[in-house]
Amino acid sequence: PGVSHGGRAVAEKALAWLIHSVAASRAAFVCKLDDATMPESTRGYPRPPEITLTRLDDDTMPHLPNLVADLRALQSEVPNPSFAYYGVHVYRMWDWASAEAGGEPNAACGGHGDDGPPQQSSTLKRLYRLSRRGQRCERAAGPFPFPDGSLEIVGRGALEAVFNSSRVRSYAARHFRNEQPPFWSHEDACLGALLHREASERELPVSCDHQLRIRQVPK
């Protein structure tokens, strides 16, 4: 195996997986999960058709029957389930002006917390204050919700619209061929920022689905 650049390798692997899945998988939902295959004990659980679960964080222990039931419900309850963005959501902001101008590639701004949707959390309120004119995150996009690294599921429509877009592919190609620091390594927030930018600027009908059975559609 080659030398791993730590967080950079993890970030690039996650983005490459989503881009690759556009062509390689026909599943209704594609999961970005980490570093452990499905355990033997999961065999025999009912699985919804056309849904594939691949990897999980090695410190994540999902209750698979509940997850399967929730994804089944999502398919019938969400207005456009193919544009679902599912997981345990938290809030972040991303300074694209800095990231795209050859500056700091890890362009998250304003901190984060574990208090994500659907409540109006203290993190969200703090980020809104930092986004005001004259504050340090005034140029940043967001705040936007994104799933933390333990479980991220992207509906087929959102996957194809976002991770097959020329802008996202160009972003990936630029960072994948970068041989000198600074390297992009801020995985989850940037994946959320990429999706948020495409969804907001192109008015994609993305539903942000907070596990389990809590729904919020970002404006």
Side-chain angles (χ1 to χ4, degrees):
V3 176
S4 171
H5 290 278
R8 178 195 183 188
V10 173
E12 293 183 1
K13 178 180 69 175
L15 180 53
W17 163 245
L18 290 168
I19 291 172
H20 173 73
S21 296
V22 173
S25 172
R26 301 310 303 169
F29 298 96
V30 173
C31 306
K32 179 262 132 194
L33 309 115
D34 288 334
D35 295 339
T37 57
M38 277 293 193
E40 185 76 18
S41 61
T42 64
R43 293 185 179 180
Y45 284 143
R47 299 186 67 176
E50 304 290 323
I51 291 178
T52 301
L53 302 179
T54 54
R55 297 176 294 140
L56 291 162
D57 269 351
D58 56 11
D59 58 355
T60 297
M61 300 184 67
H63 188 284
L64 293 178
N66 281 357
L67 178 59
V68 168
D70 204 48
L71 292 175
R72 284 187 182 274
L74 185 150
Q75 288 181 299
S76 61
E77 296 172 5
V78 172
N80 195 338
S82 73
F83 278 83
Y85 190 36
Y86 175 97
V88 180
H89 284 262
V90 294
Y91 291 111
R92 209 70 160 115
M93 301 177 72
W94 195 266
D95 186 354
W96 283 113
S98 171
E100 299 285 35
E104 171 54 56
N106 297 314
C109 190
H112 65 94
D114 293 328
D115 50 343
Q119 66 268 28
Q120 294 293 309
S121 69
S122 58
T123 297
L124 181 61
K125 293 175 182 177
R126 182 174 70 250
L127 291 174
Y128 274 128
R129 288 195 297 270
L130 290 172
S131 69
R132 295 171 183 165
R133 185 181 298 275
Q135 300 299 310
R136 65 187 178 93
C137 296
E138 66 173 331
R139 301 186 308 172
F144 53 84
F146 71 95
D148 69 18
S150 59
L151 174 65
E152 300 176 28
I153 299 179
V154 183
R156 164 61 55 184
L159 178 80
E160 293 180 350
V162 173
F163 294 99
N164 199 35
S165 69
S166 59
R167 181 160 54 177
V168 170
R169 285 180 170 273
S170 294
Y171 179 90
R174 183 169 68 254
H175 286 284
F176 292 175
R177 66 172 176 260
N178 184 23
E179 297 181 354
Q180 299 294 328
F183 296 120
W184 168 54
S185 61
H186 201 159
E187 171 193 0
D188 300 315
C190 185
L191 295 178
L194 289 167
L195 190 144
H196 173 264
R197 182 169 64 173
E198 297 299 316
S200 58
E201 293 186 8
R202 296 164 53 195
E203 298 184 348
L204 302 176
V206 173
S207 294
C208 176
D209 299 287
H210 182 64
Q211 186 190 28
L212 293 163
R213 297 185 183 276
I214 299 171
R215 311 289 181 221
Q216 178 183 3
V217 180
K219 297 180 179 179

